[in-house]
Amino acid sequence: MPELTKLNAPNQKLWVVIGVGVAGVLILAEVQRRRIRAKSSVKEDFGAFVDRFELLPFPQPPPPAAPLSLSGLTFVINDNIDVKGYVTGHGSRDWKRAQTAAEKTALLVTTILKNGAACVGKTVMGELGFGSLGENKNYGIPINPQNPSHFPGGSSSGSAVAVAAHLVNFALGTDTTGCIRVPASFCGIIGFRPSHGIVSTIGVSPNSQSLDTVGCLASDPLVLHRVGHALLQLSPLVPKRTRSIVIADDLFQLSKVPVQKAVYVISKAVENLSGYQTPKHINFGQYIASHVPSLKSFSEESTDLRNGISTLKALSSVMLLLQRYEFKTNHEDWIRSVKPKLGPDVSHRVWEAMNTIQENAKSLYKVRMEMRAALKNLLKDDGILVAPTVADPPPKLNSKKGLQVEFYDRMYSLLSIASMSGGCQVTIPFGTHDDSPVSVSFIASHGTDKFLLDTVLDMYSSLQEVVGTISSSLPLPYINGNMDAAELLKEKGNAAFKVKQWNQASSYYTEAIKLNETNATYYCNRAAACLELGCFQQAEDDCSKAISLDKKNVKAYLRRGKARESLLLYREALQDFKHALVLEPQNKAAGVAEKRLLKLIGLRRQTFYPIISGNI
């Protein structure tokens, strides 16, 4: 018997090894199956959800009463909005661990349920309400349905993705410094930021209470209109008013949407609509510079308030300082005690807020008050300001390290208008640029939300029809002509320029260019006139043309550098000034400009965007 046992012992060990091996194979197969299922699930919901559940709408009233206004619609909400029985995560697992389940559902969610819609879950958002690109360390980056290889925008990233992917009819999200408007633009849908304080924020985790709003994302303007009316508890019976459209020409210089296209689309869209005045034009930055005097103390020494865009850059700086100050007031005790694990960008912004001492907070609120009055003075109760939503298309997922200070400066300069005035804003898809969605925004003064929503609904189909029928640019036709006549026109332009008749000078230079397209001086001179008029994009284009015709044109490099600096393209401007110094080493203007820009880039990096890539 012992011999038999001894004889079979190796066989027993072999069977154990085989058994372990089979078990391992089965385990690996199950792991792989779960990974495939998880990937499939992400593809199905685009990584938009944090929690899935269903909140049924309130019962429909019996006939003959009309159905509820949102009957049959589904929606999702940001992870910072309370739902009874669920823990509010605010985009952070550390935050979520510190909370208990909500005892009440946020008032705004209850309002929507009462109007007949069903809530189907909570969505991914930027941690603690930060982040403009759509990242989240805990839950990943929701997939942009329009451009899967590009960022979806934030912080209401999951909400925008759920709408753009047609997983729901609409979404409720929060907007502080652009958290609805940016993802709406990046995902090619409609986004509504209501007037500050109009929609209840009871049951919503705060970021910065002076800037926080709760708004809506949708792909259908009629759905947006109905949800907006429900949120704002508006009466549909309000007399119509004649609409005044004001186009911010200077702001379109920051955008991939040319101002010619915006003007053409809006003008064509209102041709067959009643109740609209002929669109007006404004240099909005210059208007703000003269109507918000408190901004002067926040303007950097190097900026020229005459160009207006630098004024909006100062406004965006105040917005970020105000957000930082109030976030610290709201959450400093929790941040310092818990020291939450956050993504690199959010962590730097949070700790920058914790370590900043705002010595004169009253000045921030004074700018906010003046900005609200300025927008009201411009638009009254019947005006719509048309501006780009953001300056650039959504960046590619692998390009974040290459994003520079200018990207954020351009973005926040545009977003600060509604945030700091407390006005309402709707982001409207406006076609594509380089295969990425672009948008424009309609902005109205504080409290005119119904007027804005009604205007968007009235114009939307006409806008989309015109956008669909035109090309992305409207080139200006030029013709060849006589050299001597062109020189005479140039001299007339120079004479007009000397007496500061810059519009007239620009017209003369333009006529000279029509007669001779190969003379670099004509383009360079027109650029000088455009700089004085605040037409910086045209100035940049003219200087680029001049440089292509004359590689050693120092004035063209200097003027293009000035135009690019005004457009917040600091690094490109710096290269132009350096090139001018290479061609003319003793050029004092180029030397001063180079030193100023190096200082400015360093200041912006240290103050607002400390985590942007190491090459900044």
Side-chain angles (χ1 to χ4, degrees), residues 14-32:
L14 178 62
W15 282 109
V16 169
V17 171
I18 292 173
V20 170
V22 170
V25 170
L26 292 173
I27 290 171
L28 288 173
E30 176 63 16
V31 169
Q32 184 65 19

PDB file of all heavy atoms in Angstrom, residues 14-32:
ATOM      1  N   LEU A  14       0.691  16.523 -10.117  1.00  0.00           N
ATOM      2  CA  LEU A  14       0.423  16.936 -11.485  1.00  0.00           C
ATOM      3  C   LEU A  14      -1.014  17.431 -11.632  1.00  0.00           C
ATOM      4  O   LEU A  14      -1.275  18.457 -12.267  1.00  0.00           O
ATOM      5  CB  LEU A  14       0.684  15.760 -12.440  1.00  0.00           C
ATOM      6  CG  LEU A  14       0.395  16.033 -13.931  1.00  0.00           C
ATOM      7  CD1 LEU A  14       1.302  17.145 -14.457  1.00  0.00           C
ATOM      8  CD2 LEU A  14       0.612  14.750 -14.737  1.00  0.00           C
ATOM      9  N   TRP A  15      -1.951  16.661 -11.004  1.00  0.00           N
ATOM     10  CA  TRP A  15      -3.360  17.063 -11.109  1.00  0.00           C
ATOM     11  C   TRP A  15      -3.612  18.399 -10.390  1.00  0.00           C
ATOM     12  O   TRP A  15      -4.411  19.215 -10.848  1.00  0.00           O
ATOM     13  CB  TRP A  15      -4.275  15.981 -10.523  1.00  0.00           C
ATOM     14  CG  TRP A  15      -4.462  14.820 -11.467  1.00  0.00           C
ATOM     15  CD1 TRP A  15      -3.975  13.572 -11.348  1.00  0.00           C
ATOM     16  CD2 TRP A  15      -5.179  14.861 -12.695  1.00  0.00           C
ATOM     17  NE1 TRP A  15      -4.335  12.790 -12.417  1.00  0.00           N
ATOM     18  CE2 TRP A  15      -5.081  13.572 -13.274  1.00  0.00           C
ATOM     19  CE3 TRP A  15      -5.886  15.845 -13.380  1.00  0.00           C
ATOM     20  CZ2 TRP A  15      -5.672  13.252 -14.488  1.00  0.00           C
ATOM     21  CZ3 TRP A  15      -6.473  15.527 -14.594  1.00  0.00           C
ATOM     22  CH2 TRP A  15      -6.367  14.238 -15.143  1.00  0.00           C
ATOM     23  N   VAL A  16      -2.871  18.619  -9.292  1.00  0.00           N
ATOM     24  CA  VAL A  16      -3.010  19.913  -8.603  1.00  0.00           C
ATOM     25  C   VAL A  16      -2.537  21.053  -9.504  1.00  0.00           C
ATOM     26  O   VAL A  16      -3.191  22.092  -9.636  1.00  0.00           O
ATOM     27  CB  VAL A  16      -2.214  19.912  -7.279  1.00  0.00           C
ATOM     28  CG1 VAL A  16      -2.138  21.337  -6.716  1.00  0.00           C
ATOM     29  CG2 VAL A  16      -2.849  18.973  -6.284  1.00  0.00           C
ATOM     30  N   VAL A  17      -1.372  20.826 -10.158  1.00  0.00           N
ATOM     31  CA  VAL A  17      -0.837  21.851 -11.061  1.00  0.00           C
ATOM     32  C   VAL A  17      -1.803  22.119 -12.201  1.00  0.00           C
ATOM     33  O   VAL A  17      -2.078  23.270 -12.570  1.00  0.00           O
ATOM     34  CB  VAL A  17       0.534  21.408 -11.607  1.00  0.00           C
ATOM     35  CG1 VAL A  17       0.996  22.370 -12.714  1.00  0.00           C
ATOM     36  CG2 VAL A  17       1.560  21.360 -10.491  1.00  0.00           C
ATOM     37  N   ILE A  18      -2.360  21.035 -12.757  1.00  0.00           N
ATOM     38  CA  ILE A  18      -3.311  21.192 -13.860  1.00  0.00           C
ATOM     39  C   ILE A  18      -4.544  21.966 -13.404  1.00  0.00           C
ATOM     40  O   ILE A  18      -5.040  22.862 -14.078  1.00  0.00           O
ATOM     41  CB  ILE A  18      -3.717  19.812 -14.424  1.00  0.00           C
ATOM     42  CG1 ILE A  18      -2.509  19.173 -15.132  1.00  0.00           C
ATOM     43  CG2 ILE A  18      -4.900  19.940 -15.383  1.00  0.00           C
ATOM     44  CD1 ILE A  18      -2.743  17.741 -15.567  1.00  0.00           C
ATOM     45  N   GLY A  19      -5.008  21.607 -12.196  1.00  0.00           N
ATOM     46  CA  GLY A  19      -6.189  22.290 -11.656  1.00  0.00           C
ATOM     47  C   GLY A  19      -5.955  23.776 -11.459  1.00  0.00           C
ATOM     48  O   GLY A  19      -6.789  24.612 -11.809  1.00  0.00           O
ATOM     49  N   VAL A  20      -4.778  24.096 -10.893  1.00  0.00           N
ATOM     50  CA  VAL A  20      -4.443  25.507 -10.692  1.00  0.00           C
ATOM     51  C   VAL A  20      -4.356  26.233 -12.026  1.00  0.00           C
ATOM     52  O   VAL A  20      -4.824  27.363 -12.192  1.00  0.00           O
ATOM     53  CB  VAL A  20      -3.120  25.637  -9.902  1.00  0.00           C
ATOM     54  CG1 VAL A  20      -2.643  27.091  -9.896  1.00  0.00           C
ATOM     55  CG2 VAL A  20      -3.302  25.128  -8.481  1.00  0.00           C
ATOM     56  N   GLY A  21      -3.745  25.563 -13.001  1.00  0.00           N
ATOM     57  CA  GLY A  21      -3.614  26.169 -14.323  1.00  0.00           C
ATOM     58  C   GLY A  21      -4.954  26.448 -14.970  1.00  0.00           C
ATOM     59  O   GLY A  21      -5.190  27.526 -15.532  1.00  0.00           O
ATOM     60  N   VAL A  22      -5.849  25.460 -14.878  1.00  0.00           N
ATOM     61  CA  VAL A  22      -7.185  25.637 -15.456  1.00  0.00           C
ATOM     62  C   VAL A  22      -7.914  26.793 -14.768  1.00  0.00           C
ATOM     63  O   VAL A  22      -8.554  27.629 -15.398  1.00  0.00           O
ATOM     64  CB  VAL A  22      -8.009  24.333 -15.351  1.00  0.00           C
ATOM     65  CG1 VAL A  22      -9.463  24.595 -15.730  1.00  0.00           C
ATOM     66  CG2 VAL A  22      -7.409  23.265 -16.245  1.00  0.00           C
ATOM     67  N   ALA A  23      -7.798  26.816 -13.430  1.00  0.00           N
ATOM     68  CA  ALA A  23      -8.435  27.901 -12.677  1.00  0.00           C
ATOM     69  C   ALA A  23      -7.888  29.257 -13.097  1.00  0.00           C
ATOM     70  O   ALA A  23      -8.619  30.237 -13.250  1.00  0.00           O
ATOM     71  CB  ALA A  23      -8.218  27.682 -11.178  1.00  0.00           C
ATOM     72  N   GLY A  24      -6.569  29.302 -13.305  1.00  0.00           N
ATOM     73  CA  GLY A  24      -5.960  30.553 -13.742  1.00  0.00           C
ATOM     74  C   GLY A  24      -6.464  30.998 -15.099  1.00  0.00           C
ATOM     75  O   GLY A  24      -6.749  32.176 -15.325  1.00  0.00           O
ATOM     76  N   VAL A  25      -6.580  30.034 -16.002  1.00  0.00           N
ATOM     77  CA  VAL A  25      -7.097  30.350 -17.336  1.00  0.00           C
ATOM     78  C   VAL A  25      -8.513  30.884 -17.244  1.00  0.00           C
ATOM     79  O   VAL A  25      -8.885  31.861 -17.894  1.00  0.00           O
ATOM     80  CB  VAL A  25      -7.044  29.094 -18.238  1.00  0.00           C
ATOM     81  CG1 VAL A  25      -7.808  29.367 -19.547  1.00  0.00           C
ATOM     82  CG2 VAL A  25      -5.603  28.733 -18.547  1.00  0.00           C
ATOM     83  N   LEU A  26      -9.326  30.229 -16.395  1.00  0.00           N
ATOM     84  CA  LEU A  26     -10.718  30.672 -16.229  1.00  0.00           C
ATOM     85  C   LEU A  26     -10.787  32.079 -15.638  1.00  0.00           C
ATOM     86  O   LEU A  26     -11.617  32.902 -16.047  1.00  0.00           O
ATOM     87  CB  LEU A  26     -11.481  29.684 -15.340  1.00  0.00           C
ATOM     88  CG  LEU A  26     -11.724  28.298 -15.959  1.00  0.00           C
ATOM     89  CD1 LEU A  26     -12.338  27.369 -14.917  1.00  0.00           C
ATOM     90  CD2 LEU A  26     -12.633  28.412 -17.174  1.00  0.00           C
ATOM     91  N   ILE A  27      -9.907  32.332 -14.659  1.00  0.00           N
ATOM     92  CA  ILE A  27      -9.890  33.658 -14.036  1.00  0.00           C
ATOM     93  C   ILE A  27      -9.484  34.723 -15.055  1.00  0.00           C
ATOM     94  O   ILE A  27     -10.106  35.788 -15.158  1.00  0.00           O
ATOM     95  CB  ILE A  27      -8.928  33.681 -12.831  1.00  0.00           C
ATOM     96  CG1 ILE A  27      -9.510  32.836 -11.696  1.00  0.00           C
ATOM     97  CG2 ILE A  27      -8.671  35.115 -12.363  1.00  0.00           C
ATOM     98  CD1 ILE A  27      -8.547  32.608 -10.551  1.00  0.00           C
ATOM     99  N   LEU A  28      -8.423  34.418 -15.832  1.00  0.00           N
ATOM    100  CA  LEU A  28      -7.980  35.369 -16.851  1.00  0.00           C
ATOM    101  C   LEU A  28      -9.069  35.622 -17.891  1.00  0.00           C
ATOM    102  O   LEU A  28      -9.282  36.750 -18.334  1.00  0.00           O
ATOM    103  CB  LEU A  28      -6.713  34.849 -17.544  1.00  0.00           C
ATOM    104  CG  LEU A  28      -5.426  34.887 -16.712  1.00  0.00           C
ATOM    105  CD1 LEU A  28      -4.301  34.186 -17.457  1.00  0.00           C
ATOM    106  CD2 LEU A  28      -5.035  36.331 -16.403  1.00  0.00           C
ATOM    107  N   ALA A  29      -9.771  34.560 -18.255  1.00  0.00           N
ATOM    108  CA  ALA A  29     -10.863  34.701 -19.224  1.00  0.00           C
ATOM    109  C   ALA A  29     -11.967  35.595 -18.675  1.00  0.00           C
ATOM    110  O   ALA A  29     -12.536  36.426 -19.386  1.00  0.00           O
ATOM    111  CB  ALA A  29     -11.418  33.321 -19.585  1.00  0.00           C
ATOM    112  N   GLU A  30     -12.272  35.401 -17.364  1.00  0.00           N
ATOM    113  CA  GLU A  30     -13.309  36.213 -16.748  1.00  0.00           C
ATOM    114  C   GLU A  30     -12.875  37.677 -16.653  1.00  0.00           C
ATOM    115  O   GLU A  30     -13.670  38.595 -16.907  1.00  0.00           O
ATOM    116  CB  GLU A  30     -13.636  35.678 -15.346  1.00  0.00           C
ATOM    117  CG  GLU A  30     -14.645  36.500 -14.555  1.00  0.00           C
ATOM    118  CD  GLU A  30     -16.023  36.536 -15.205  1.00  0.00           C
ATOM    119  OE1 GLU A  30     -16.299  35.707 -16.088  1.00  0.00           O
ATOM    120  OE2 GLU A  30     -16.823  37.413 -14.824  1.00  0.00           O
ATOM    121  N   VAL A  31     -11.605  37.900 -16.309  1.00  0.00           N
ATOM    122  CA  VAL A  31     -11.084  39.269 -16.244  1.00  0.00           C
ATOM    123  C   VAL A  31     -11.180  39.939 -17.614  1.00  0.00           C
ATOM    124  O   VAL A  31     -11.611  41.087 -17.751  1.00  0.00           O
ATOM    125  CB  VAL A  31      -9.625  39.283 -15.743  1.00  0.00           C
ATOM    126  CG1 VAL A  31      -9.000  40.663 -15.934  1.00  0.00           C
ATOM    127  CG2 VAL A  31      -9.566  38.874 -14.275  1.00  0.00           C
ATOM    128  N   GLN A  32     -10.773  39.172 -18.655  1.00  0.00           N
ATOM    129  CA  GLN A  32     -10.829  39.728 -20.002  1.00  0.00           C
ATOM    130  C   GLN A  32     -12.262  40.013 -20.418  1.00  0.00           C
ATOM    131  O   GLN A  32     -12.553  41.039 -21.048  1.00  0.00           O
ATOM    132  CB  GLN A  32     -10.175  38.736 -20.988  1.00  0.00           C
ATOM    133  CG  GLN A  32     -10.073  39.246 -22.420  1.00  0.00           C
ATOM    134  CD  GLN A  32      -9.142  40.439 -22.535  1.00  0.00           C
ATOM    135  OE1 GLN A  32      -8.321  40.680 -21.660  1.00  0.00           O
ATOM    136  NE2 GLN A  32      -9.275  41.195 -23.611  1.00  0.00           N
TER     137      GLN A  32
END
